[in-house]
Amino acid sequence: MASLLTTASWPPTLESWKLALESLFLNIITDGHLLVETLLVVVIVALLLQKSYQPQKRPLSEAEIDQLCEEWEPEPLHPPLTEIMKTFKEPVLESAAGPHTVVNGKDVINLTSFNFLGLIGNEEMQRVSRAAIEKYGVGACGPRGFYGTIDVHVEFEERVARFMGTEDCILYSYGLATAPSTIPAFCKRGDIIICDEAAHWGIQNGIHLSRSTVAWFKHNDMDDLEAKLKAVKEEDVRKKRRKVVNRRFIIVEAICQNTGFVTPMDKIMELKKKYHFRVIVDESLSLGVMGKTGRGCTEHFNIPVQDVDMIIAGMGFAFASIGGFCCGSHKVVDHQRLMGAGYCFSAALPPYLASNAIAAIDQLEMYPSLLTKLQDNVRLLRKALQDTPGMVVGSNENSPVIHMYLKNSTNSFGGDFMVLQKIVEKMLDDKSVLLTCTKRMPLDRVRWPASIRIAVSAGHNDKDLLAAAESLKVVAASVLES
Amino acid sequence: MVQVPYFTALTTYFAYALLFAIGHIRDFFSCLLWKEKVADGYAPLTGDFGDFYIRWVYHRIHDCFNRPICSSPGAWIDVVGRERLGTSNWILKNTGGVRRCLNLGSYNYLGFAAQDEYCTVKAIETLERFGASTCSGCFDAGKTTVHEELENLVAEYLGKEDAIVYGMGFATNSSTLPALVGKGCLVISDSLNHSSIVVGVRGSGARVKVFKHNNPEHLEKVIRESIAEGQPRTHRPWKKILIVIEGVYSMEGEIARLPEIVAIKNAYKAYLYLDEAHSIGAMGQTGRGICEYTGVPFADVDILMGTFTKSFGSCGGYIAGSKDLITHLRHTSPCHTYATSMSPAAVQQVTSSLKVIMGRDGSRRGAEKLRNLRENSNWFRQELLKLGCQVLGDEDSPVIPIMVYNPGRMAEFSRECLKRHVAIVVVGFPACSLILERARFCISASHTRKDLEYAIDVIREVGTIMRIFWGKPTPDLLADVPSLAAKLAAKTQ
């Protein structure tokens, strides 16, 4: 090529072309370049085209699978029964679970049922329930969607909404199914829930089903709650989020079922507003108990009820019925009518229980003295129990449920339980007082010491309460000292 | 399973496409015009597909659901009239009018929903003695003598050592399953199992695998693969395998192929959990459910679950099994300890209706009811087939669904039947998959032949207008369209 450019005259003749090409080829071939490079290219192409190395797959043969199936030994369906399971015998009631009931043919003082207002067996409620059974039969025989909606269900929802002062209300057919339906209806994967660590199993189950991100704050510890809320906000700042994309909830119980402590709702509302969280409150224990007219924690703490996004409650407490409900705005309620699993896929509440609950609300509005009577009773019993030997009273004075713990705990739930259960059994056998120990299922994540749980009712009279407290002192002294 | 005719599938998809498109367009403009009122710093409370579906699909047809009635859910019911309030909001308001309708919707298989000469009296007696509620869990002060009587009676009825009674059917599943299985266990679930089972399994933390609906061959394949592979990633052997099936599927009306499934279960050492919500009291010569109907010994099913909502006209559910199993459940199932125990009057209703079924009330009403139910169901199914409906399910099953497919057609079918005094149930999302809308009839022993003839007349008339007679009934063609619930279950794992 060089010769072409330098030597020959321009334009090049045919001769000079020939010369140039010959010299070029000769040069390359003699240099060996072409050969080496061509070879390289061939090798690269060959390597590229080669199949990548894969170990040979040999799926299990049928015979091998047969053998694996043969060899597989499953665990038994359930683990072996523990000693407590074998020996524990629950009391069987022979009459209504009122302030007095019959167990083993004996009249006993009942300090176990959550019959706070003493409405079990209330004459007016009995009359209403009887009329409802006569008119509607017992069961609703279908889910709410498919002709299981009886007019009393609708009436109940309107009545509760009016009572609570919320826009709307949705009725569930079981108290424990309320939280596991409401929470997953709104909380989804990626949403954030901050929940009290002592929340009852229904809330835990709801949170688990929602698959949201959850943080547990120490029981009733507002500083810890604030720290958790702040961490969420800081995460926002760190990730430079301009808009909040996930829903955020604080879930608490107004009065904790596991501990009997009252949640400082005023503080919760303050924090909720500050950190832009929504709040779901479980009012199972506080409805018909707290507040001047029994409207629960919102009334007690003077919080506008609209500020609480959702209020859930079971009716197997002060209302002396069965079922649960969720109160809130139209939007909150309407969404659950299709997305609340326990509403959509479960049979409706037996209509007589809805009528019964309506009558309970009527009773509460008609006789607000029930509330003061309950509070007097709680005060009286708490005072009488103060100097029980070997035990401490450990719940809030507003709570109708009193928890009594061992002064010298064995530091294990089971250990405490065995001791307390002995007291409970002795109370029933010797003193005719029906008490109960808190029980904890293995699925429950709450770690709180065992206690004797005493549920006070407006139906108890002073004499019974004082007698029960005296008996407990005697029995506790004899059991704990032996 | 059903095969959707191509043209119908096309129109159904088109209908949904149109509904969704209109919904999105309206959402878009309403976003522009009226900024959604979400306070600063909050994410919208609802904003997923469910919410969109409720607003733009469900609200158009929600008058077909949640219809209030103002009578007992017996053979004839009083349906309260409702109408839309204005055009823009979707709230339905009672008009006050009442329409007496033939009830083909309630699960009142044996007719115990209505007032009964024996059961209602007993229930009221118990109400007077025990009150409406015990206000405490079964371990505290929630167990009464009536509860004990029922638990013993259920155990005896099902030939099991012991039984446990819960206050709610849904919660029976959702709180028993987590007490039985957990991490390291495998649940093999039918693809069309009820939502309560899905919730229960999800709550348990066990792995789930789904097998094709009512298909033992596929179940065997899944179970073999699972045992051979062991747990995912670690490849440790499974702790235990629990097969969960239903006796009669509530949306399909199909009867479980129990003998084959039991054979597989025995061969591979798995455990079997049988949900008899719709079959207890309704199937079998003496109403003992699907085991009796298919001739499988009760001992071959480890866990028998059922509800009292349907055949017994009450509420609640039970688990029956070995003595130790039930004791274990009593101490580990949260619902037993934490929840308020079942209402004593409702318990008594079950006990009394069970006694009637077992013939212990001194009459032959129980056997008569069971015979009536079977005859009614089979007669009604035959008539529907003669009309040319695409009928799902098996002979003898009291649940009789027919395919309607199109959402608009489904709603109109329900409305037109209601106008003609027949109350029927139409089922759409989320109870079944989006394009498999159906109408479902639940037959009761308390229906007279005249009632059912009337219903058939109405269905003939309305069905002709709606064109739901798809011609010759198609045999099982196994076009598997798993329900959303099943898909969700599969996705969780």
Side-chain angles (χ1 to χ4, degrees), chain A residues 406-420 449-450 480:
Chain A
L406 284 179
K407 220 171 243 169
N408 305 317
S409 169
T410 59
N411 289 327
S412 84
F413 187 88
D416 282 8
F417 180 84
M418 294 299 257
V419 178
L420 294 170
L480 295 175

Side-chain angles (χ1 to χ4, degrees), chain A residues 16 26 35 74 108 133 148 150 152 167 172 246 249 277 284 360 374 377 412 447 461:
Chain A
S16 57
L26 269 175
L35 195 68
V108 299
I133 292 186
I150 318 277
V152 289
E167 279 180 17
Y172 285 95
N246 50 7
F249 292 89
F277 271 64
S284 294
L374 171 64
N377 278 354
S412 84
R447 297 285 166 263
N461 57 35

Side-chain angles (χ1 to χ4, degrees), chain A residues 421-439:
Chain A
Q421 183 63 27
K422 221 176 274 167
I423 299 179
V424 167
E425 276 164 18
K426 222 162 170 190
M427 284 292 281
L428 181 63
D429 293 341
D430 301 350
K431 304 286 179 187
S432 294
V433 179
L434 181 60
L435 293 173
T436 190
C437 265
T438 48
K439 293 164 191 79

Side-chain angles (χ1 to χ4, degrees), chain A residues 72 75 134 174 211 352, chain B residues 115 128 269 271 340 343 492:
Chain A
W72 180 64
E75 284 181 8
E134 275 160 10
Y174 212 41
R211 299 195 211 114
Y352 77 95
Chain B
Q115 290 70 13
E128 279 171 2
K269 290 171 271 187
Y271 301 105
T340 316
S343 169
T492 36

Side-chain angles (χ1 to χ4, degrees), chain A residues 14-34:
Chain A
L14 193 65
E15 282 300 302
S16 57
W17 269 115
K18 266 187 187 165
L19 195 71
L21 284 174
E22 258 169 34
S23 63
L24 184 79
F25 273 103
L26 269 175
N27 270 344
I28 294 170
I29 291 164
T30 46
D31 284 357
H33 259 287
L34 189 69

Side-chain angles (χ1 to χ4, degrees), chain A residues 60 62 65-66 68-79 81 84-85 88-97 110 112-115 120-121 126 129-130 133-147 149-151 154 173-174 176-177 186 188 201 205 208-209 211 244-247 249 272-273 276-278 310 316-317 320-322 331-332 334-335 337-339 341-347 350 352-353 356 434 436-437 439-444 453, chain B residues 36 40-48 50-51 53-54 58-59 65-73 77 105-108 113 115 120 123-124 127-136 138-141 143-145 148 167-168 170-171 175 178-180 194-195 199 202-203 224 227-228 237-241 251 268-269 271 302-303 309-310 313-315 324-325 327-328 331-335 337-343 345-346 349 423-427 430-431 440 492:
Chain A
L60 294 169
E62 285 298 306
I65 295 181
D66 277 341
L68 281 169
C69 292
E70 191 75 22
E71 281 167 9
W72 180 64
E73 271 309 321
E75 284 181 8
L77 185 54
H78 54 86
L81 300 181
I84 299 181
M85 289 184 184
F88 181 81
K89 191 88 191 77
E90 67 271 36
V92 178
L93 273 60
E94 288 151 33
S95 77
N110 179 8
T112 296
S113 297
F114 297 120
N115 175 25
I120 289 180
Q126 289 285 66
S129 306
R130 195 166 49 238
I133 292 186
E134 275 160 10
K135 185 173 177 198
Y136 302 109
V138 174
C141 261
R144 288 290 295 272
F146 305 152
Y147 305 101
T149 303
I150 318 277
D151 51 359
V154 183
S173 50
Y174 212 41
L176 203 66
F186 295 99
K188 310 280 173 195
W201 182 80
N205 188 227
H208 178 83
L209 293 174
R211 299 195 211 114
V244 176
V245 285
N246 50 7
R247 285 169 283 263
F249 292 89
K272 156 206 148 69
K273 280 182 192 148
H276 302 297
F277 271 64
R278 292 188 172 93
M310 285 162 228
F317 300 90
S321 186
I322 286 172
K331 191 169 183 174
V332 162
D334 217 32
H335 188 70
R337 293 205 193 272
L338 210 56
M339 294 298 150
Y343 180 91
C344 202
F345 295 109
S346 156
Y352 77 95
L353 290 170
N356 190 54
L434 181 60
T436 190
C437 265
K439 293 164 191 79
R440 197 132 300 144
M441 302 286 101
L443 291 166
D444 200 330
R453 200 188 64 200
Chain B
E36 216 192 323
D40 258 355
Y42 290 91
L45 185 60
T46 54
D48 52 349
D51 176 54
Y53 180 85
I54 288 178
Y58 175 69
H59 272 170
F65 307 97
N66 295 319
R67 283 183 187 143
I69 65 173
C70 58
S71 66
S72 66
I77 49 176
S106 298
Y107 307 127
N108 173 27
Q115 290 70 13
T120 310
I124 289 178
L127 177 78
E128 279 171 2
R129 188 167 156 216
F130 286 96
S133 170
T134 60
C135 290
S136 52
C138 282
F139 269 170
D140 302 331
K143 194 166 184 182
T144 65
T145 42
E148 208 168 44
M168 183 200 196
F170 189 94
S175 93
L180 286 174
H194 189 254
S195 161
V199 167
R202 207 200 280 170
R224 284 174 68 88
I227 296 177
W238 294 103
K239 283 185 181 161
K240 52 192 160 192
I241 296 180
M251 295 299 164
Y268 294 95
K269 290 171 271 187
Y271 301 105
D302 304 276
I303 307 135
T309 326
K310 281 94 185 177
S314 182
C315 66
D324 283 1
L325 170 75
T327 312
H328 171 77
H331 285 267
T332 51
S333 166
C335 236
T337 310
Y338 296 152
T340 316
S341 67
M342 190 168 156
S343 169
Q349 163 80 16
I424 63 157
V425 163
V426 285
V427 191
R440 186 184 65 180
T492 36

Side-chain angles (χ1 to χ4, degrees), chain B residues 199-475:
Chain B
V199 167
V201 174
R202 207 200 280 170
S204 72
R207 285 259 163 190
V208 192
K209 290 192 182 179
V210 173
F211 70 95
K212 283 181 190 163
H213 171 58
N214 215 1
N215 186 339
E217 294 77 30
H218 189 235
L219 168 67
E220 181 163 17
K221 202 171 146 246
V222 171
I223 207 168
R224 284 174 68 88
E225 268 171 19
S226 307
I227 296 177
E229 281 168 18
Q231 296 184 35
R233 293 180 58 225
T234 60
H235 296 290
R236 291 275 169 82
W238 294 103
K239 283 185 181 161
K240 52 192 160 192
I241 296 180
L242 184 68
I243 303 171
V244 186
I245 57 165
E246 287 184 41
V248 168
Y249 290 85
S250 61
M251 295 299 164
E252 271 65 33
E254 279 172 17
I255 297 166
R257 288 163 68 185
L258 195 61
E260 289 105 313
I261 292 174
V262 163
I264 292 170
K265 169 232 145 184
N266 286 337
Y268 294 95
K269 290 171 271 187
Y271 301 105
L272 182 61
Y273 184 104
L274 175 62
D275 177 343
E276 294 225 67
H278 286 267
S279 49
I280 187 70
M283 302 295 296
Q285 199 61 38
T286 57
R288 283 175 168 78
I290 210 74
C291 288
E292 187 189 13
Y293 179 79
T294 52
V296 171
F298 286 98
D300 272 349
V301 181
D302 304 276
I303 307 135
L304 280 168
M305 177 269 168
T307 65
F308 301 129
T309 326
K310 281 94 185 177
S311 302
F312 307 103
S314 182
C315 66
Y318 66 82
I319 301 275
S322 69
K323 186 104 197 148
D324 283 1
L325 170 75
I326 299 301
T327 312
H328 171 77
L329 283 180
R330 279 187 217 282
H331 285 267
T332 51
S333 166
C335 236
H336 181 259
T337 310
Y338 296 152
T340 316
S341 67
M342 190 168 156
S343 169
V347 173
Q348 185 59 54
Q349 163 80 16
V350 184
T351 311
S352 315
S353 49
L354 248 180
K355 281 184 181 161
V356 174
I357 296 169
M358 293 161 92
R360 294 203 182 157
D361 63 326
S363 75
R364 292 203 33 80
R365 287 201 305 141
E368 237 164 69
K369 275 173 182 288
L370 277 158
R371 207 191 52 238
N372 270 355
L373 174 64
R374 205 163 28 248
E375 282 173 4
N376 279 350
S377 309
N378 288 340
W379 183 85
F380 199 74
R381 185 179 291 276
Q382 282 312 313
E383 288 300 308
L384 287 175
L385 284 169
K386 272 187 220 159
L387 285 180
C389 292
Q390 195 174 355
V391 185
L392 303 186
D394 296 307
E395 190 89 340
D396 288 339
S397 152
V399 184
I400 308 178
I402 60 172
M403 297 310 295
V404 184
Y405 298 118
N406 204 301
R409 198 182 258 150
M410 166 183 98
E412 243 0 85
F413 187 59
S414 167
R415 288 171 191 149
E416 290 299 319
C417 283
L418 188 72
K419 268 187 206 161
R420 292 164 176 78
H421 299 270
V422 175
I424 63 157
V425 163
V426 285
V427 191
F429 179 79
C432 64
S433 79
L434 268 180
I435 74 155
L436 295 177
E437 263 89 357
R438 60 199 68 172
R440 186 184 65 180
F441 310 108
C442 287
I443 304 303
S444 162
S446 58
H447 288 139
T448 62
R449 186 53 56 85
K450 231 171 108 197
D451 291 344
L452 295 179
E453 276 167 6
Y454 173 66
I456 288 290
D457 285 343
V458 169
I459 292 164
R460 181 183 298 118
E461 190 183 331
V462 178
T464 316
I465 310 171
M466 299 296 145
R467 301 197 188 159
I468 55 158
F469 303 136
W470 309 97
K472 283 262 178 268
T474 44

